[in-house]
Amino acid sequence: MFNIQQPFKRITAIGAVSSLLLTLSAPLAFADQAVAPVTTQAEVSIQAGAVQLTSKTISDKNDYYESELTIPVISGMQDKNYQNTLNANLAARAHAELEKLKKQAKDDAAASVGVYEFRPYMFKVSYERITDGSTGAGGVLSFKMITSAYTGGAHGWTRIDTYNVRNEAKASAVKLKELFGEGYKTILNKVVNAEIAAHSDIYFPDTFKSIADNQPFYIKNGKAFLVFQQYEIAPYAAGIREIDAVIPGSKPAAAVPGNLSSLSLKIGGKTISGAHLFVGKNGIAMAPLRAISAQLGYALSWNAGWIDVDKGNQNVSLQVGKDNYATATAQVTLGAVPIMKDNTLYVPLSFFSKVLKVTVAYSKDAVVIG
């Protein structure tokens, strides 16, 4: 297991370049002999009746490169022909990119002899399921394919490709035009420009012109999340940007209850004593980070002004007073900054659903998480 894409959490305006050089340009230790590819499989627990994704991982390494392909194998779609074609395309694309990198790595190694130090390449493909195609998800299967590589230089790169499919007898790809109408570009361009104006310190000035004809996006909770790749509208340190737009006619998100501060907090069916929520600026629900994260199995640590939230391979970082929540592949804005109140660190309640990807809901007398 390895991690090509270093989190953006500790990159500052002054130290960005040096940090990347230190964390990403160091050569890896490889075995002297090539190692045969290793394949492992793990099932993902998904709601009954939903489309299922099985994780298939193929690992390989030698003196020139190290690779790890975690390719989803989709099952349970109504349209089996579409399902089989999609599975074949996902695998073919990942393997084609890997073969191209293998050749490039070998050629680079040969050219480096007596000229410069060759650093082994790295290539990784993984995925993230967003919605499962069930009735509760509006019949839409939505997921990301995340491709990362290091081919020498100061740092690697990451790209996110998205897939949105209607799980019907005759499946089809979901298009932004279908969701937002004929004027979808005008509508979404306004949303993007508003986000850039609200966070001008993050984005390149005067760079964004329009969303692309094939704009990557995914669907979740009645919103379309537009995905912008590294350097597309913001510097490398800002990460892959995701900007959300409410889909017309979709069910609005549950309003923050007026009695939020009096509601109990339940996580995994357990009531958490001493943890309180409140309504912050702009009517955004704020929740105690440590109390909730600990119950969800995350560890919190403070590091040079950053707060790290870690669990296994999932790593998120944030700063007090900054509306930027950094994962390994993206930075998310939530409309509110982390704040200290009564010696407790609070974050927007949406941090847990949008960043940590856990379920958050309101009941009559409680906020229910997980």
Side-chain angles (χ1 to χ4, degrees):
M1 299 290 289
F2 60 93
N3 182 15
I4 297 172
Q5 182 58 44
Q6 297 294 326
F8 304 111
K9 55 192 178 185
R10 297 190 182 92
I11 299 175
T12 64
I14 296 175
V17 175
S18 60
S19 295
L20 289 167
L21 285 169
L22 287 172
T23 57
L24 287 165
S25 62
L28 296 178
F30 287 90
D32 292 334
Q33 301 297 324
V35 178
V38 176
T39 302
T40 60
Q41 284 188 289
E43 293 186 356
V44 178
S45 177
I46 299 179
Q47 177 183 343
V51 176
Q52 298 181 14
L53 276 71
T54 301
S55 177
K56 180 179 181 181
T57 299
I58 303 172
S59 301
D60 189 18
K61 68 177 180 179
N62 60 25
D63 291 338
Y64 306 119
Y65 70 90
E66 180 176 358
S67 65
E68 181 181 285
L69 308 183
T70 302
I71 305 170
V73 178
I74 302 168
S75 61
M77 286 185 64
Q78 295 183 47
D79 188 336
K80 302 304 180 186
N81 288 332
Y82 194 104
Q83 171 184 290
N84 294 339
T85 300
L86 180 55
N87 279 331
N89 287 343
L90 292 172
R93 180 172 186 178
H95 285 287
E97 288 198 78
L98 175 58
E99 289 304 315
K100 183 178 179 180
L101 178 133
K102 286 181 180 180
K103 183 180 184 306
Q104 182 181 343
K106 190 172 182 179
D107 291 346
D108 189 11
S112 71
V113 177
V115 181
Y116 57 87
E117 179 185 2
F118 171 74
R119 291 182 171 89
Y121 286 16
M122 294 189 291
F123 185 73
K124 181 176 181 178
V125 174
S126 60
Y127 71 94
E128 178 186 342
R129 180 178 62 86
I130 309 298
T131 59
D132 60 14
S134 64
T135 302
V140 174
L141 170 65
S142 188
F143 63 96
K144 302 177 185 178
M145 292 298 299
I146 306 165
T147 304
S148 301
Y150 172 74
T151 57
H155 54 73
W157 56 262
T158 295
R159 184 189 73 240
I160 290 180
D161 300 299
T162 58
Y163 295 81
N164 305 283
V165 182
R166 297 191 188 282
N167 182 27
E168 300 172 345
K170 186 172 178 57
S172 61
V174 181
K175 305 293 186 182
L176 286 171
K177 184 177 180 180
E178 300 171 18
L179 301 176
F180 292 89
E182 289 290 338
Y184 75 100
K185 282 193 175 182
T186 299
I187 294 170
L188 295 175
N189 287 343
K190 288 182 179 179
V191 172
V192 175
N193 280 318
E195 163 67 13
I196 292 174
H199 299 90
S200 58
D201 58 321
I202 296 175
Y203 297 95
F204 290 135
D206 305 320
T207 296
F208 176 75
K209 303 302 180 185
S210 174
I211 62 170
D213 291 339
N214 59 343
Q215 179 68 44
F217 73 98
Y218 62 88
I219 299 170
K220 183 179 180 181
N221 296 333
K223 294 181 179 180
F225 290 78
L226 308 178
V227 177
F228 295 90
Q229 310 297 346
Q230 291 172 330
Y231 294 115
E232 189 173 358
I233 60 174
Y236 179 88
I240 294 175
R241 306 302 303 175
E242 297 183 355
I243 300 175
D244 62 274
V246 177
I247 299 171
S250 62
K251 183 179 179 181
V256 176
N259 64 336
L260 180 68
S261 60
S262 65
L263 298 181
S264 62
L265 178 62
K266 292 184 178 180
I267 303 176
K270 178 182 178 182
T271 299
I272 309 303
S273 61
H276 303 286
L277 290 81
F278 68 93
V279 179
K281 292 183 178 180
N282 301 319
I284 294 176
M286 303 296 290
L289 177 60
R290 183 177 294 278
I292 297 175
S293 297
Q295 289 297 319
L296 293 172
Y298 289 85
L300 258 67
S301 60
W302 292 72
N303 193 327
W306 289 91
I307 300 96
D308 296 340
V309 185
D310 301 313
K311 180 181 179 181
N313 291 328
Q314 188 178 16
N315 313 107
V316 180
S317 291
L318 52 100
Q319 286 181 297
V320 173
K322 299 288 186 180
D323 185 14
N324 274 294
Y325 303 83
T327 69
T329 58
Q331 287 195 0
V332 181
T333 54
L334 300 175
V337 303
I339 64 171
M340 294 296 299
K341 180 180 179 182
D342 299 328
N343 294 319
T344 299
L345 177 62
Y346 286 84
V347 296
L349 182 59
S350 58
F351 169 82
F352 300 97
S353 59
K354 292 185 177 181
V355 181
L356 298 189
K357 309 296 184 183
V358 297
T359 302
V360 176
Y362 296 112
S363 68
K364 182 179 179 180
D365 57 0
V367 176
V368 182
I369 300 178

